[in-house]
């Protein structure tokens, strides 16, 4: 499940970075508060077992 989440995030960010370099990704993540928003979204998730 974690791999799917990471792949989904990656797929959504790729079109918004001109260069596929760590510096370009860091700039995009920083300018758009991606990590803060992601952290907030993840804290709102509820993991419950299904019976």
């Amino acid at each position: 499940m974690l791999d799917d989440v990471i792949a989904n995030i990656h797929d959504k960010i790729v079109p918004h970075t001109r260069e596929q370099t760590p510096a370009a990704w860091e700039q995009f993540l920083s300018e758009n508060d991606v990590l803060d928003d992601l952290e907030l979204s993840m804290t709102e998730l509820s993991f419950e077992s299904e019976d």
Side-chain angles (χ1 to χ4, degrees):
M1 185 178 355
L2 180 59
D3 288 342
D4 292 340
V5 170
I6 293 171
N8 188 308
I9 292 167
H10 177 269
D11 292 345
K12 289 183 180 189
I13 293 174
V14 163
H16 301 285
T17 54
R18 292 182 187 177
E19 300 174 25
Q20 296 304 307
T21 63
W25 276 71
E26 183 178 350
Q27 182 179 359
F28 177 82
L29 295 175
S30 177
E31 288 177 356
N32 294 286
D33 296 322
V34 173
L35 296 179
D36 290 337
D37 292 345
L38 179 60
E39 181 180 12
L40 181 60
S41 296
M42 296 301 276
T43 60
E44 295 175 355
L45 290 178
S46 174
F47 296 99
E48 297 177 9
S49 62
E50 294 181 14
D51 295 329

